[in-house]
Amino acid sequence: MNKFITLVLTGLSFIFSSSVLADGFNDNYLQLSYSSNTDKFIQRLTNIEGSVEVGSDFTIIGNYEYSEGDWKDPGEKESVKIDSYSFGVGKSFSLDSNTDITSSLLRINYSAKQQCNTDAGVDCNSTYSANPFKSNYYVATIGIRNLSESRLETSFNYSMWRGGKLKPKSTEIEIKIMKHINENFAVGGRVSSHKKTDWTETGIFVRRSF
């Protein structure tokens, strides 16, 4: 809980700092989001994402996510807290003044700390082969985004999770809608569907552009 509060306060302090006005798509931003998940093991996620344009429609992307969940198996209760860090590069391709093709490649490093107790209240953490469990993988994404005259931005993304130590073979589809209140602030929501393993994630976010 203390980590969650610190994360939220840090994100808000950046979001409400001074900024420079921008026109059209602006990939210089800081974004704070909260999501819920239908996965058995992870139900709550808090995320801070930053992006910086570096020229020629390339961006550098960084992300920190804190997620947690709890579940019950026969005879025991378990919980997990995960710290995830990602870093990578994005590239956009303009179709017209209001529409872009987007792409990105990120490396994700994470550390998962689990807790186990039997129904009788006995610690069963010794059953884990590694705790915390640390691993990494890569996420490649391609998508399309459109910005309407009313400053409503919609995007559709398709992602593949592959490689690294974890070697996942899963995919994700995401739909995001964001309303630009002005050149500096935007609020939005997102829904994503993940396959292998199967879960759905819904979230809200606030973005501060610079």
Side-chain angles (χ1 to χ4, degrees):
M1 179 58 70
N2 289 336
K3 182 174 290 186
F4 171 78
I5 294 173
T6 301
L7 181 60
V8 171
L9 292 177
T10 301
L12 290 175
S13 67
F14 279 104
I15 286 171
F16 290 104
S17 61
S18 61
S19 71
V20 178
L21 299 181
D23 296 322
F25 291 114
N26 183 1
D27 289 320
N28 295 305
Y29 65 82
L30 187 73
Q31 180 174 293
L32 175 66
S33 65
Y34 178 80
S35 304
S36 61
N37 198 311
T38 62
D39 183 63
K40 173 184 176 179
F41 306 108
I42 301 171
Q43 295 93 41
R44 300 168 296 276
L45 308 93
T46 305
N47 182 292
I48 290 182
E49 177 179 294
S51 172
V52 178
E53 297 175 357
V54 293
S56 301
D57 297 319
F58 281 96
T59 57
I60 300 298
I61 305 167
N63 187 301
Y64 169 71
E65 183 172 85
Y66 172 72
S67 54
E68 59 184 356
D70 50 76
W71 65 97
K72 192 176 187 331
D73 285 329
E76 62 187 28
K77 297 178 181 178
E78 297 183 73
S79 63
V80 65
K81 296 180 179 179
I82 303 175
D83 293 296
S84 300
Y85 301 87
S86 63
F87 184 79
V89 61
K91 169 69 174 175
S92 63
F93 305 87
S94 178
L95 297 181
D96 57 44
S97 60
N98 298 317
T99 308
D100 279 0
I101 296 295
T102 58
S103 62
S104 65
L105 178 63
L106 301 177
R107 176 188 167 97
I108 289 85
N109 295 281
Y110 74 94
S111 175
K113 177 73 173 179
Q114 292 184 246
Q115 178 67 40
C116 176
N117 292 96
T118 67
D119 290 346
V122 178
D123 187 305
C124 50
N125 289 328
S126 60
T127 60
Y128 301 129
S129 58
N131 196 22
F133 174 74
K134 297 182 178 181
S135 192
N136 58 72
Y137 57 95
Y138 294 87
V139 176
T141 300
I142 187 167
I144 186 168
R145 62 183 178 183
N146 176 265
L147 182 63
S148 70
E149 293 182 0
S150 61
R151 306 293 292 174
L152 187 68
E153 184 175 335
T154 57
S155 60
F156 175 86
N157 299 301
Y158 176 80
S159 300
M160 295 184 295
W161 300 28
R162 297 287 190 277
K165 294 181 180 178
L166 190 63
K167 294 180 171 57
K169 292 184 178 180
S170 53
T171 60
E172 183 177 287
I173 294 173
E174 178 192 58
I175 297 174
K176 183 187 300 181
I177 300 176
M178 178 168 55
K179 174 63 176 179
H180 292 269
I181 300 171
N182 53 41
E183 287 84 354
N184 303 323
F185 292 98
V187 294
R190 54 178 290 273
V191 177
S192 61
S193 176
H194 192 91
K195 299 299 181 184
K196 297 182 181 180
T197 57
D198 294 351
W199 45 255
T200 299
E201 185 174 310
T202 57
I204 56 175
F205 60 88
V206 57
R207 177 179 292 190
R208 179 69 154 97
S209 298
F210 298 94

